């Protein structure tokens, strides 16, 4: 089991979601974050107060996957999130010791295998 | 129609006047009305500003506020004169430019019971809101400096002549337009349509969902617009009289009826009554009753309100599918609402209620013809005039922003601000440049 | 009381009128007042909308806006006539239905210096805000379609008869109620209480903290309500005269006094002056001065404002502990504020200030009896009428939403919208259904 | 100047009055104006509230709302009398305290065509907004209880005397101040400056960027301020006459001009037209035209609007670098705007427009001297009076909050609330104390 | 040391916090997130724009615990966050190499042992 | 490769960013979070509803670094984020299996080495 953490541009999120969907990745969690990287800064002025905004809106995806899904997931993200300009983001692959589905108590592989829709 | 009354029709109303003094009651109402109409432009800023995404809020609002500034100054210096000073049938003269024409023998002129200078303000608020309305079709991609140039020229060379034709004693004086259905709404909507076509769609149009960022703001805008519209319509009686009272009541109930129909249509379609829909319906109903307000009775107003819902409702549904990025549906709401209202004014005008002018239902179908004609003439001139002014503007400054700025959002890119700034990661810049 | 004046009392005021023409000054004030009272309903939408959680904002606001639509149309078609047309002591007739009764000999009728049709609008704004007030007791669980049916019926069959009794020449004409303390506030609060009991509490009541999602909106609502209330109270003089001026000044200072006391009570209890408390206090003070506005002097107004703070302040603290989900405290604010105000009007009425009607402090304690009686009659009728109409409504559509919808929030579930939509993960649906 | 007119100048205007009755038209306008000016204080709460960070929103807004409460009550009990009752040249007497002086022979007194009690309300709204304005210099660190004490004393002992000098027949009656440029704006700004210096800067000043949390609120505040300012300026004519009309029109176009210049200055400096800048410009323009509104013609108003942009624009840029934590630039906007306006009123006063009073450009340069003198006297008295009252307040309660409270934010620390509460982790507290 | 990452329904957060409190877990960090899973989508309409909302509001808890606390923590979450309907969320257990308490510089076990109240 | 996760006070964020900048750490991602710890609770009252607010605004930093940067990064955070009062926050060091830069596909060390500015 791995946790794939990807930071992407917000305007690319829908493309990424679609690519993941095609790669049969179903479950994931998304967080609005602010990224700081190699890019240039933006200046904003509010009356006499001038500030540099060094942080940019980004979106973080966290995707728990079993081993066979690691590669396809990464590839789906790489292909859909890339613009080629500074600020495209990063992917981190973290080891996971255990995954549990709260609803059923199922663990690991079973926990990340999607169920038939019908709920929420 | 009505503004003609300004100079020529004697005061048929109550209050006995001391020679030369204003009718204080009508003056009070016109001052209040002018304040109400002025408030409509900030109200529009909220109506529009709530409908756009978070990265374009300030730019959208500033497009309205900027017209209050640049358009207001242009109006007092020149626009008012082009609309209302004696001139040809096509355009007014320069006699009232630079705020001339309001004094006589060292005293402020009073006419029709009102200090004439009230007209400079009252009419100015109409010019301003009309230009501001156009911006709804152009948000998210227009360069702000281009908007400043274009909207100012537009008030002078599109709005002022049309106001002259309809109210200044010009071409279209046979059409009934109580408070500006053609001059304001059809005119602005046509300009918006042309502008949207010339600018082209936003880059993400059709690929990304453009959602409103703050629907309470949309409701706030709609509520304040309704409030201000009482000045717009009932103020157009230019007196605190029976006609103002009738126009007021119609302005209250027609949009109520539009909202009833719209909510029922929403239920039929999705089983859900949307708030954005209800707010839109109120505006459509207000637009539709504008030309009719003092010409029809309350039941006629309800009919106009009800019928106006249909074209706008269905056009708003198909508009995005036409590939037309009239971003905030200026044409669907103000254009179609205005056209429906203008034509139905000719149908429902009731001689008993307005003191003598019959409409189609009372046998005077010719009136409908005058109404249609006025609509067509205004749309034609507005389209051509807008097109010309856009090209003139483009000679000085590109109309669209760079693609990069469109992606970042116009608030940060053009105004150097965010609507809801956060302090995280904001590093104070000292004078010398300093910091990381 | 006052609305009787409409038809029968000659204009005792200034302006010399040309035969048959309206008093332009009073007309100007009544038009302005009507616009101000209309604005109170959007203002209420913000006051209430800010007080609810984020998932029910639009539903809460739409409950007010919908009354502007459905209630407004019902008013012009039928409600106004049931309230104000000549009829029995219990209810008005049908003579003014469908906007009849405003014309005479092909001209708009003028009476008491005003175009009579102003009354259709002015009184309509009262009917609308009254029904909208009820919604505060029912938010978060009522089906929107049921609200549409119920609130419309309620205006016709609960509001209109009570307005008739008090202002249309009916049963309760001995009670003093300058601008609608009983008709509007006690009536709405009773209906809200009954509604909250019939609907039952929200599922999460008592387990989850219901917090306001946007307190600036609450303050905005309170500010605009205060502004609009000047039309409500001073407009109820039906003229721009001394009585209007007195009512205006009392409407300015009484709620100021309530807020002073409330802030001090807050300091005593927690050492902290809450903003929600201050906004609530302003509304409570406005409610309390409503029946008294033109009957008491400014010092009487300050006393009423001060005394009104206590019952509402303490009831709001205990209400949640009673298990009563009157969600936004309609009864605590409008009911108790209204009752306090109604009774104290009988106590503080000052013959010198109002031109002849004494209250208890001037020896006429019988007046307090009439006040109490009016309160009881209105509460009894309102409770029974509301109960009947809720059951009638339930015959057509369930009153409550499904538990699932309550959990998700009524904005998404009933209106298909969120108040503050975000674009993340929003996938455009093409006509054919398309997409992932 | 103008308020003197109240008691002594006969009504030179239209409407023929029945003996003793008010002029309904002027009464209508003064009631509307009073409502408009009252709305300016909630509007200011939004203008200021949008400009502060998220942790101090409610405190900032409450500083304005509290003046509506405490200041309003102090005004009716005592302040009005100190300003307007017959007294010495320095301060009024006690004849109008406790709402005395509005009745004669058991009837409400009418003078100059108006019920005199209107003045109690109209003047009260001025006192309230003036004290509320000061708060912009003190946000983020002042103890709320200290503000309650200070602002109430300030209305009684700084505002009321100055109003007496200028409008109540006192010292400064030679200066032209149509609607309160010195009494309101310069006075409040001086008090703000002194307050900011006495309190000292916020702890994070100069280290952390203080950014506005909600710029749409700033624009809403600016829009509503503009709307209300029509009552402020045109209402100061105390009648619905030509002078009111002129003041109205000037109030519409002068701030438009200021915004034009400000936007151009912004373009010159950064290439970006800021929304906060535009909103600020509107306020600066409104401040500057306030003393001049009824004294100058429309072109004079445009000049005043244009010239007023410069000192404020540049002072706002340097102010933070001076180490001066006048947090929301009360001095830069209201002080410099007010001084510019006061002096230019003496320059541009136009005898033809105002009925006889010439300014410098028409040869009467002495008027500029009176204007400067009034500015200096008001600033001197305001500074000393404010200083004394701050020390008096400090004798009872510390002026500043604890450092810890400043860091947490004044909303949570002083009011026990957040502006935008979230339910996450909010645990209901039962009466007994209960829960985790 | 482990980092327990749990994604739960927002309306269950208070129950979860209470359960964790009973399990003597004190420190944790909460993030508002958007979840995508097996559940059905919601349709929203804004004028002519119809969208599917495939993301649901969730809350993420991150809890750094020492080994003996892993099991009780998971059990507390499982028991308090479950509704049985699709969308209840997941728990991930991640290995942690080091934990440091910023205030004191204490490491690992010591860093996650609560102190006596009195501060913030 | 490690992922350093730090939870700090929002008012300390700028100091931390500056310290990291000086330590030549360039890339990082920031999330607004709510923290629950040993601190005392705040009481808020809304009409008759009184609540305890047990959560405090915090900011989470996630910083992917190569081994040699682990220590300097931690030290930069410790020195800049500390106030000495309860609530200063925690640092977690998590193992990472792989890092990828989306723009280029570079992996690991290369992925977290900053590029010359000029982009965003
Ligand atoms: N070392 C890092 N640790 C955590 N997040 C990072 C790191 N480097 C970059 N990021 C995230 O990725 C985003 C893009 O990185 P950036 O360096 O700007 O562009 P690029 O990856 O294209 O060189 C940043 O805004 C930040 O959110
Ligand atoms: N593989 C995953 N990786 C990360 N988060 C996930 C994953 N699967 C589910 N989630 C999170 O858990 C939530 C609930 O999952 P879902 O599949 O909808 O229901 P259930 O777990 O009951 O089957 C999702 O909304 C998402 O936030
Ligand atoms: N075990 C933990 N797991 C995750 N986050 C924690 C943990 N303990 C503390 N935190 C985070 O660190 C913040 C500060 O911790 P706290 O215990 O309040 O103070 P201190 O670390 O100074 O003792 C908390 O608000 C929370 O966000």
């Amino acid at each position: 089991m791995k946790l794939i953490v990807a930071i992407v541009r917000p305007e690319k999120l829908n493309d990424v979601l679609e690519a993941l969907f095609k790669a049969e990745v179903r479950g994931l969690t998304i967080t609005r974050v602010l990224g700081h990287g190699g890019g240039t800064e933006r200046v904003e002025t509010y009356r006499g107060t001038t500030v540099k905004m060094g942080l940019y809106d980004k979106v973080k995806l966290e995707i728990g996957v079993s081993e066979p899904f690691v590669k396809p997931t990464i590839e789906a993200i790489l292909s859909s999130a890339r613009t080629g300009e500074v600020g495209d983001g990063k992917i981190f692959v973290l080891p996971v010791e255990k995954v549990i589905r709260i609803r059923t108590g199922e663990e690991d592989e079973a926990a990340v295998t999607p169920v038939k829709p019908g709920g929420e | 129609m009505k503004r003609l009354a300004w100079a020529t029709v004697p005061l048929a109303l109550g209050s006995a006047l001391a020679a030369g003094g204003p009718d204080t009651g009508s003056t009070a109402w016109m001052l209040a009305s002018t304040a109400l109409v002025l408030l409509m432009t900030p109200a529009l800023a909220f109506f529009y500003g709530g409908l756009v995404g978070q990265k374009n809020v300030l730019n959208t609002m500033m497009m309205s506020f900027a017209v209050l500034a640049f358009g207001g100054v242009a109006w007092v210096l020149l626009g008012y004169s082009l609309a209302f000073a004696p001139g040809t049938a096509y355009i007014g003269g320069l006699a009232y430019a630079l705020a001339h024409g309001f004094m006589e023998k060292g005293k402020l002129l009073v006419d029709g019971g009102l200090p004439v200078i009230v007209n400079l303000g009252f009419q100015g608020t109409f010019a301003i809101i009309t230009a501001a309305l156009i911006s709804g079709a152009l948000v998210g991609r227009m360069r702000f400096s281009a908007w400043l140039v274009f909207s100012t020229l537009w008030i002078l060379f599109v709005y002022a002549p049309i106001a002259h034709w309809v109210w200044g004693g010009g071409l279209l004086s046979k059409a009934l337009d109580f408070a500006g259905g053609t001059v304001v709404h059809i005119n602005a909507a046509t300009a918006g349509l042309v502008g949207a076509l010339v600018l082209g769609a936003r880059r993400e149009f059709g690929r990304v969902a453009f959602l409103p960022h703050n629907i309470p703001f949309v409701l706030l805008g709609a509520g304040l617009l309704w409030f201000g519209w009482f000045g717009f319509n009932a103020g157009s009686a230019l007196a605190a009289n029976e006609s103002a009272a009738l126009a007021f009541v119609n302005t209250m109930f027609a949009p109520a009826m539009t909202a009833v129909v719209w909510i029922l249509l929403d239920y039929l379609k999705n089983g859900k009554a949307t708030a954005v829909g209800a707010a839109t319906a109120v505006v459509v109903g207000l637009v539709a009753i504008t030309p009719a307000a003092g010409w029809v009775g309350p039941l006629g107003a309800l009919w106009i309100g009800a019928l106006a819902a249909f074209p706008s409702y269905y056009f708003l549904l198909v508009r995005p599918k036409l590939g037309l990025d009239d971003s905030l549906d200026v044409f669907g709401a103000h254009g179609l609402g205005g056209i429906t209202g203008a034509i139905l004014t000719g149908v429902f005008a009731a001689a008993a209620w307005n003191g003598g002018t019959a409409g189609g239902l009372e046998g005077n179908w010719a009136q409908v013809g005058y109404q249609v004609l006025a609509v067509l003439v205004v749309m034609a001139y507005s389209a051509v005039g807008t097109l010309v002014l856009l090209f003139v503007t483009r000679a000085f400054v590109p109309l669209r922003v760079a693609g990069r700025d469109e992606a970042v959002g116009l608030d940060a890119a053009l105004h150097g601000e965010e609507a809801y700034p956060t302090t995280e990661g904001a590093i104070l810049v000292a004078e010398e440049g300093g910091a990381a």
Side-chain angles (χ1 to χ4, degrees), chain B residues 5 53 61-62 67 141 143 146 245 260 264 294 309 311 377 430:
Chain B
M61 292 188 165
M62 280 291 278
V67 180
R141 59 214 192 270
R143 204 172 280 258
V260 166
L264 296 178
V377 170

Side-chain angles (χ1 to χ4, degrees), chain B residues 13-16 23-26 28-29 32 36 206-209 211-217 219-220 222-224 226-227 230 234 239-246 248-249 252-253 256-257 259-260 263-264 267 271-278 282 298-299 302 321 351-353 355:
Chain B
L13 314 172
S15 189
D23 176 329
T24 56
S26 290
W29 176 237
L36 287 168
R207 293 192 305 114
V208 166
L211 303 184
H213 90 290
N214 192 320
I215 298 181
F217 279 0
L219 292 171
L220 177 65
L224 290 176
W226 199 343
F227 178 60
F230 289 118
N241 58 8
E242 295 92 328
S243 177
L246 177 63
F248 190 110
V249 165
M252 179 169 163
F253 295 113
M257 190 71 200
V260 166
I263 287 173
L264 296 178
Y267 265 116
K272 298 190 174 166
T274 61
V276 170
V282 165
L299 290 187
L302 290 183
K321 289 161 196 106
W353 288 95

Side-chain angles (χ1 to χ4, degrees), chain B residues 174-219:
Chain B
K174 277 191 173 151
L176 304 178
D177 187 355
F178 194 77
T182 43
V183 182
V184 173
H185 297 285
I186 297 177
N187 187 4
T190 306
L193 190 61
V194 170
L197 291 171
V198 170
L199 257 74
R202 285 167 288 179
R203 278 174 178 75
E204 293 178 330
F205 181 80
R207 293 192 305 114
V208 166
F210 295 119
L211 303 184
H213 90 290
N214 192 320
I215 298 181
F217 279 0
V218 178
L219 292 171

Side-chain angles (χ1 to χ4, degrees), chain A residues 12-26 28 61 76 79-80, chain B residues 207:
Chain A
K12 280 287 174 184
L13 177 62
N14 277 355
D15 292 349
V16 173
L17 290 178
E18 207 171 315
L20 288 171
F21 187 84
K22 291 208 182 109
E24 314 233 313
V25 174
R26 287 299 177 275
L28 51 83
L61 298 103
S79 66
S80 60
Chain B
R207 293 192 305 114

Side-chain angles (χ1 to χ4, degrees), chain A residues 2 9 34 36 40 56 60 82 85 89-91 93:
Chain A
K2 296 284 178 272
R9 298 178 185 275
L34 296 167
H36 182 79
T40 54
Y56 286 82
K60 179 168 81 172
R82 186 176 293 166
E85 304 219 8
K90 301 273 185 294
I91 302 175
V93 182

